[in-house]
Amino acid sequence: MSRSFIVQAYRTLSALLEPAAAGLLLWRRRRGKEDPARLSERRGYPSAERPDKTLVWLHGASVGETVTLLPLIERLQRRGLAVLVTSGTVTSARLLAQRLPAGAIHQFLPLDVPRYMRRFLDHWRPDLALICESEIWPNLMIESGKRGVPLVLINARMSERSFRRWYKFPQTSRHLLSGFDRCLAQSQEDGQRLAQLGAPRVSIAGNLKFDVPAPPADPNTLALLDGLAAGRPVWVAASTHPGEEEDVLAAHLGVRAHLPKLLTIVVPRHPDRGGEVEALAQANGVSSARRSLGHLPERDIDFYIADTLGDLGLFYRLAPVAFIGGSLAPIGGHNPIEPAKLGCALLHGPLVHKSADLFAAFDAGGGAIQVTDRQELAQAVHRWLSDPAAARQAARAAARTSTELSGALDRTVQAIEPLLLRASIGQRESVD
């Protein structure tokens, strides 16, 4: 990689601030953002042994990225390859504990401190690294390059907003992106931006999220919830953030004026915010219950707070209409593909810059509607809940769009095939 003053300064500073990094981890542990039993992994200390065969390392930042990797992990395992998966959040680790295929290893990604990353790589010695979406950490890339580990950016995205920031530092962007052996972009627009910033061997593979199976749901629990909600109009607001719950509550009150039996299900993006959302409902005189406390959406409950992890599969199956959070708050929009696969008509706000092309596809296909505020949200929810046939038509359109845009998994595997072959041959030669 060509030299970059900014990257060299980052390297120096991150090494000097190693004591502060250790303090940061302790602070995060106190706030519940780190697993106390696995804190050493964040400093590069392994908690598992390296398998004695070709090892492919896959990294995703949090829940969305790591779930995206699941079908690819299964493909790699079927080829007899060992798989190491890293992520950076407690919620992703909990979800992977439920859904990671047997035999795959999960570790927390170390903080991007040179010594932490060296420790991690010296133990795991990956033969190939697949980095998901936009996780570009300088020390990770540089230390991997020193060890000859091929790096591939998969399911790569580069929003217009991120592109403008990177474009201000062309030497730095070229320096970092040139460390990837190849980049497999989600869309033509993502690919063009990455290539313009200096990424090598860019190709368009599509979005791996379309090839992820729909999230599971326990059939007995689903039957129980379905029975409790029978005869009631139901909608779900999924992966919401602060500020959005206020919008959802206002929409609930507006729709309830016309549909008095309305059940609104709110799934906060961060489950530990359940108490905060409950207090909001209580302050507005709305009867609520929290799933994390073992409560159910009984007939006297209007606002059900699903503050648990991994339950969206239940509520997407229960509700015909889903609002996708992170889109009225300035987050960038969360995954609309899961509810599309499970029969939901989709609603979202305008702030979907992280996946603008994805949401535009659902809008154009007739499966989704953009709303700009709580009033429009209430109107759209009321319209679809009052006209189930129209909601079903939109849900079918969303499912059709999801099917039409699948295939990224096959294209990704095909693109990395030469690297997988090279890694397998190299491992056999080292053993011989």
Side-chain angles (χ1 to χ4, degrees):
M1 291 190 287
S2 61
R3 296 194 174 190
S4 162
F5 171 78
I6 293 177
V7 173
Q8 292 302 323
Y10 174 92
R11 290 268 289 168
T12 301
L13 189 61
S14 58
L16 292 174
L17 291 178
E18 182 178 328
L24 173 65
L25 288 173
L26 294 175
W27 177 79
R28 285 176 55 84
R29 183 185 67 180
R30 287 194 297 270
R31 298 194 62 187
K33 294 183 178 294
E34 299 289 347
D35 184 340
R38 300 176 61 182
L39 198 64
S40 61
E41 292 176 28
R42 298 286 266 159
R43 294 187 287 121
Y45 290 105
S47 61
E49 292 299 317
R50 185 199 188 280
D52 190 20
K53 56 181 177 179
T54 304
L55 178 71
V56 180
W57 167 29
L58 301 96
H59 173 68
S62 189
V63 172
E65 295 84 359
T66 50
V67 168
T68 299
L69 294 172
L70 290 173
L72 181 55
I73 292 167
E74 292 175 355
R75 285 280 188 97
L76 296 172
Q77 285 187 310
R78 287 205 296 268
R79 297 173 65 121
L81 301 168
V83 172
L84 168 69
V85 185
T86 58
S87 63
T89 65
V90 173
T91 51
S92 63
R94 290 173 183 162
L95 192 64
L96 287 174
Q98 301 171 10
R99 299 183 62 179
L100 199 61
I105 302 167
H106 175 263
Q107 297 279 279
F108 283 106
L109 183 74
L111 296 186
D112 199 45
V113 172
R115 189 161 65 152
Y116 293 177
M117 203 55 68
R118 287 194 292 268
R119 189 181 288 147
F120 172 85
L121 290 167
D122 288 345
H123 174 80
W124 290 106
R125 306 187 313 281
D127 298 289
L128 174 63
L130 307 176
I131 310 299
C132 187
E133 294 202 4
S134 55
E135 281 286 282
I136 302 173
W137 292 103
N139 289 317
L140 180 157
M141 299 187 65
I142 291 169
E143 296 297 338
S144 295
K146 286 181 177 180
R147 289 158 178 76
V149 180
L151 290 168
V152 181
L153 190 62
I154 63 171
N155 213 44
R157 59 182 174 86
M158 177 62 65
S159 69
E160 181 64 32
R161 179 182 297 185
S162 295
F163 172 77
R164 289 195 298 268
R165 287 198 298 262
W166 279 87
Y167 195 70
K168 295 176 183 177
F169 307 98
Q171 188 177 6
T172 300
S173 65
R174 284 195 302 272
H175 180 99
L176 290 173
L177 291 171
S178 66
F180 288 107
D181 187 274
R182 61 199 63 187
C183 293
L184 309 180
Q186 291 185 15
S187 70
Q188 194 71 40
E189 292 78 11
D190 291 313
Q192 290 172 350
R193 293 172 192 135
L194 285 163
Q196 194 170 345
L197 291 172
R201 292 176 288 281
V202 176
S203 59
I204 313 305
N207 193 331
L208 283 169
K209 287 186 171 70
F210 286 106
D211 295 277
V212 178
D218 176 71
N220 294 325
T221 305
L222 179 59
L224 172 63
L225 293 172
D226 194 46
L228 290 170
R232 303 183 68 179
V234 182
W235 69 296
V236 59
S239 298
T240 57
H241 289 263
E244 288 185 314
E245 288 93 6
E246 286 86 346
D247 294 328
V248 170
L249 184 63
H252 168 84
L253 292 171
V255 176
R256 192 180 65 175
H258 304 279
L259 302 172
K261 294 182 180 180
L262 178 68
L263 173 61
T264 296
I265 300 169
V266 184
V267 187
R269 179 68 173 180
H270 302 290
D272 59 1
R273 294 187 54 250
E276 176 185 334
V277 179
E278 182 180 41
L280 175 68
Q282 291 174 346
N284 286 270
V286 176
S287 60
S288 62
R290 290 171 58 189
R291 181 165 176 76
S292 65
L293 301 179
H295 300 156
L296 293 169
E298 304 286 356
R299 291 287 170 171
D300 60 340
I301 298 301
D302 293 340
F303 207 72
Y304 189 55
I305 303 161
D307 54 344
T308 50
L309 187 66
D311 281 339
L312 274 172
L314 279 172
F315 301 111
Y316 287 149
R317 287 174 171 87
L318 189 68
V321 176
F323 166 73
I324 310 304
S327 61
L328 283 174
I331 304 299
H334 291 301
N335 183 5
I337 301 171
E338 291 180 345
K341 288 187 173 186
L342 290 174
C344 293
L346 308 178
L347 299 170
H348 65 87
L351 306 177
V352 293
H353 52 271
K354 287 185 178 179
S355 303
D357 299 332
L358 175 58
F359 281 92
F362 280 111
D363 291 348
I369 293 176
Q370 176 178 299
V371 296
T372 59
D373 55 31
R374 59 184 61 178
Q375 184 176 356
E376 289 190 5
L377 177 60
Q379 290 170 350
V381 171
H382 178 242
R383 182 163 62 250
W384 270 341
L385 291 183
S386 300
D387 188 353
R392 285 193 297 271
Q393 183 177 356
R396 286 193 293 269
R400 183 168 57 249
T401 297
S402 180
T403 300
E404 290 171 351
L405 294 176
S406 63
L409 178 61
D410 289 336
R411 290 187 288 271
T412 297
V413 172
Q414 183 178 7
I416 65 174
E417 181 66 36
L419 296 173
L420 291 172
L421 182 60
R422 190 190 314 167
S424 298
I425 293 173
Q427 176 71 15
R428 286 199 296 271
E429 288 177 350
S430 66
V431 171
D432 295 341

